[in-house]
Amino acid sequence: SAYVPLDMKLPLERLSYYVRDLELKTIVTFNVNNIAWNQLGINCIIDLEKDAYLINQMSISKPNLSISIDETAYIIYTSGSTG
């Protein structure tokens, strides 16, 4: 998995491109209209506000994971004008 910040103020067409290009499967959001994500084909939406009760019931223990330096941590798209 990787962190990809997305701005809901972007046109739906641009967000749709990101979803397709990155093959996004899950969105983690905070109090955002989930209808737009459903329109983009995202079926797994974790809303940090709406799902807070369920999230608070999850374990806070550090997961036993092996992570390689070759794995993607985050992806940032730019307009191309930033260099």
Side-chain angles (χ1 to χ4, degrees):
S1 65
Y3 172 73
V4 183
L6 298 175
D7 183 355
M8 285 302 294
K9 295 176 187 168
L10 291 172
L12 195 59
E13 181 179 303
R14 188 69 176 160
L15 290 171
S16 180
Y17 168 78
Y18 293 156
V19 168
R20 285 189 321 274
D21 188 49
L22 297 166
E23 299 179 13
L24 297 179
K25 307 290 185 230
T26 302
I27 294 291
V28 178
T29 184
F30 186 81
N31 196 24
V32 174
N33 185 349
N34 292 337
I35 295 171
W37 295 120
N38 290 331
Q39 290 173 348
L40 296 174
I42 300 294
N43 295 320
C44 184
I45 301 166
I46 301 169
D47 187 315
L48 296 175
E49 183 174 45
K50 186 179 93 176
D51 300 324
Y53 177 75
L54 296 171
I55 293 168
N56 288 332
Q57 292 182 17
M58 295 182 175
S59 172
I60 60 170
S61 299
K62 179 181 173 185
N64 185 16
L65 298 173
S66 176
I67 299 174
S68 163
I69 61 170
D70 296 325
E71 295 182 50
T72 303
Y74 61 90
I75 298 171
I76 297 177
Y77 274 90
T78 67
S79 64
S81 62
T82 58

